[in-house]
Amino acid sequence: MTATPRTNGTPPPDGIPRVRVEGTGYARGRQYGIQARDRVRRSVHAYQRVFAHYAGWDWATVRRAAAGFETPIAGFRPAYLEEMRGIADGAGLDLADVLAINVRTEVMYAAKARQAPLAHRTAQPPAECSAFAVVQDQPATALIGQNWDWLLHSAETLVLLEARQDDGPDFITVVEAGLLAKAGMNAAGLGVVTNALVTDADVGAPGLPYHVLLRAVLDCATVTEALMALQAGERSSSANYLIAHSSGAALDVEAAPGDFTRLYPLYPDQGLLLHTNHFLSPRLHPVDLSLWAMPSSAVRLQRLRALSGGPRPGGRYRTLNDFRVLLADHADYPYSVCAHPEPGAHPCEQGATIASVLMDLTAGRMWIAVGHPCQARYQDVGWPASPTEASPAEASPAEASPARASPAGASRILASPAAGPPAAASPTEASPAARARRASPS
């Protein structure tokens, strides 16, 4: 008998169904599949088109390729395979379907790596994510967040997954329906955000998939445990894992396909870590293809560095309000930190910021803006606090003034910047690039 998940009555953020699960791996998966059935099936249907476009594979071929990942996952964390089996059963699908969408990065970026030497035009995956973490000692602060940029269909498959586990810390993650994890935080005080990367070693060889490893990070109690999880087996694809903890520990881990020798740690500079979609380590062994695959990454990193700056004037420490402004930046529009669809691009190649996530690990709180952060308000997801423990101002931090914020989070929690575009403005009209175009002589 499947356990009924507990609820605390908090409403989901606008536009994202909230999925609450608990129990064993299979039980959690089945609850997930039942609650998000329509969105899981929509994910599978959307990736049938995406894989055909990027890899030239029909769904039967994708399923056969995905089956090669069963053995590595089972050898690493068999409960994850059982969880995917539960998702499939709950959604009325086969395990192969759910496994296929959980290895979507391996399929798509392996196809991209294989195409790199070719001169003719190839399918361009959208850039994936602008991320930050900051740890400060006085006062003790650990903040982490990102814009998650991806294909437009994922706006219709997004869920907020909250898991109460028998075999690990409870966690919450913003993720495409049917996938195990993306950006999120857990009850042990650990948070993770992430960026796609690609090298010439990304050839789709079966190993530990990207989204399985993101889930493994969320099952860790410390940053060191997270690093151990990332080096526990042969990884199949490149990715960046930016990890922080409420204790003040933080580490950015650039990973190429392979074993522990292809992990490249980066350390906070004056408490700050920033990352987009290319490798920063000077010791990289494979050839980095990231800037060829996702050329906007270079300018987005420059903007993150310019806007986050060094120590704040007068010793003021960085706040989530600072990063809220940073994640709404439109320099180099539409390839900006706040990403918008590229006009004229193929529908399977159009990407945008699907969600923006901000986390205060010290306070154990998360906020989500669904869609473009230049317009959408950030909403407190209400985890693990109950609704009675948050004021209306705290529950809608993008509309709260600093004076109304609670003392526990007053200076960390998200007043709306006065210079931000009005909510009624269209993304194109709100962008600085659009204003510059209107002001330029024809």
Side-chain angles (χ1 to χ4, degrees):
M1 181 176 177
T2 302
T4 302
R6 294 189 295 270
T7 62
N8 63 15
T10 54
D14 293 341
I16 306 185
R18 189 175 192 128
V19 175
R20 289 187 174 93
V21 301
E22 66 175 18
T24 64
Y26 178 82
R28 291 194 305 268
R30 189 168 185 275
Q31 294 162 29
Y32 183 0
I34 290 170
Q35 293 178 56
R37 177 186 175 96
D38 290 346
R39 291 199 168 211
V40 174
R41 295 174 74 91
R42 197 175 300 159
S43 286
V44 170
H45 182 70
Y47 279 113
Q48 289 179 14
R49 299 191 306 272
V50 170
F51 291 149
H53 180 72
Y54 282 93
W57 290 359
D58 62 20
W59 195 241
T61 303
V62 172
R63 283 165 50 112
R64 285 194 298 271
F69 290 83
E70 281 194 51
T71 298
I73 296 170
F76 175 59
R77 302 280 173 89
Y80 295 166
L81 203 59
E82 285 304 300
E83 192 165 335
M84 284 189 267
R85 196 182 308 278
I87 294 169
D89 289 350
L93 297 166
D94 291 336
L95 171 62
D97 297 317
V98 173
L99 189 56
I101 60 176
N102 274 275
V103 299
R104 55 95 159 157
T105 300
E106 286 66 32
V107 173
M108 292 179 64
Y109 285 95
K112 190 65 181 170
R114 288 192 297 270
Q115 293 166 348
L118 304 181
H120 62 78
R121 191 216 177 263
T122 58
Q124 288 291 121
E128 258 201 271
C129 312
S130 302
F132 75 88
V134 59
V135 286
Q136 301 166 143
D137 291 333
Q138 295 296 330
T141 309
L143 311 175
I144 191 168
Q146 74 174 106
N147 280 355
W148 175 47
D149 306 338
W150 191 230
L151 297 167
L152 301 184
H153 78 254
S154 54
E156 300 177 353
T157 65
L158 205 62
V159 297
L160 184 63
L161 175 63
E162 179 183 331
R164 299 178 185 272
Q165 303 194 96
D166 293 343
D167 49 0
D170 297 349
F171 69 86
I172 189 163
T173 180
V174 183
V175 66
E176 294 170 87
L179 276 65
L180 292 184
K182 198 74 177 183
M185 60 184 286
N186 69 24
L190 185 139
V192 60
V193 291
T194 186
N195 312 88
L197 300 170
V198 60
T199 71
D200 64 351
D202 285 83
V203 294
L208 299 181
Y210 175 32
H211 289 89
V212 167
L213 287 168
L214 283 170
R215 171 54 186 283
V217 169
L218 282 174
D219 279 344
C220 294
T222 66
V223 175
T224 297
E225 286 182 16
L227 180 60
M228 293 166 64
L230 293 175
Q231 63 186 21
E234 294 272 341
R235 295 172 308 281
S236 180
S237 61
S238 298
N240 186 67
Y241 304 87
L242 206 174
I243 307 161
H245 193 274
S246 58
S247 64
L251 191 66
D252 187 282
V253 184
E254 296 180 332
D259 63 11
F260 66 95
T261 64
R262 290 191 171 185
L263 290 175
Y264 307 95
L266 302 171
Y267 308 100
D269 180 6
Q270 298 185 17
L272 185 65
L273 283 163
L274 303 170
H275 212 281
T276 52
N277 297 104
H278 61 284
F279 282 87
L280 302 179
S281 173
R283 301 184 296 107
L284 183 66
H285 177 62
V287 176
D288 185 9
L289 302 178
S290 303
L291 285 177
W292 174 78
M294 296 168 281
S296 72
S297 179
V299 173
R300 285 186 287 113
L301 182 62
Q302 177 269 320
R303 291 300 295 169
L304 294 183
R305 288 173 171 171
L307 292 172
S308 60
R312 306 289 86 185
R316 184 173 67 87
Y317 62 98
R318 296 178 181 92
T319 71
L320 283 184
N321 276 329
D322 295 326
F323 291 103
R324 182 182 182 276
V325 174
L326 180 154
L327 294 178
D329 183 59
H330 281 129
D332 214 34
Y333 179 94
Y335 311 107
S336 36
V337 172
C338 180
H340 292 260
E342 180 183 357
H346 188 284
C348 284
E349 298 175 29
Q350 282 196 325
T353 297
I354 303 301
S356 186
V357 182
L358 296 167
M359 292 172 270
D360 183 336
L361 302 176
T362 310
R365 300 177 69 180
M366 175 192 285
W367 293 263
I368 302 173
V370 182
H372 297 107
C374 62
Q375 294 183 296
R377 69 188 184 121
Y378 285 86
Q379 294 177 271
D380 192 330
V381 303
W383 181 89
S386 70
T388 58
E389 293 174 313
S391 71
E394 292 171 328
S396 302
E399 297 180 349
S401 69
R404 292 204 308 270
S406 68
S411 50
R412 289 195 287 270
I413 301 175
L414 310 194
S416 182
S426 71
T428 301
E429 292 303 301
S431 76
R435 293 195 296 270
R437 284 194 296 271
R438 289 198 301 269
S440 299
S442 57

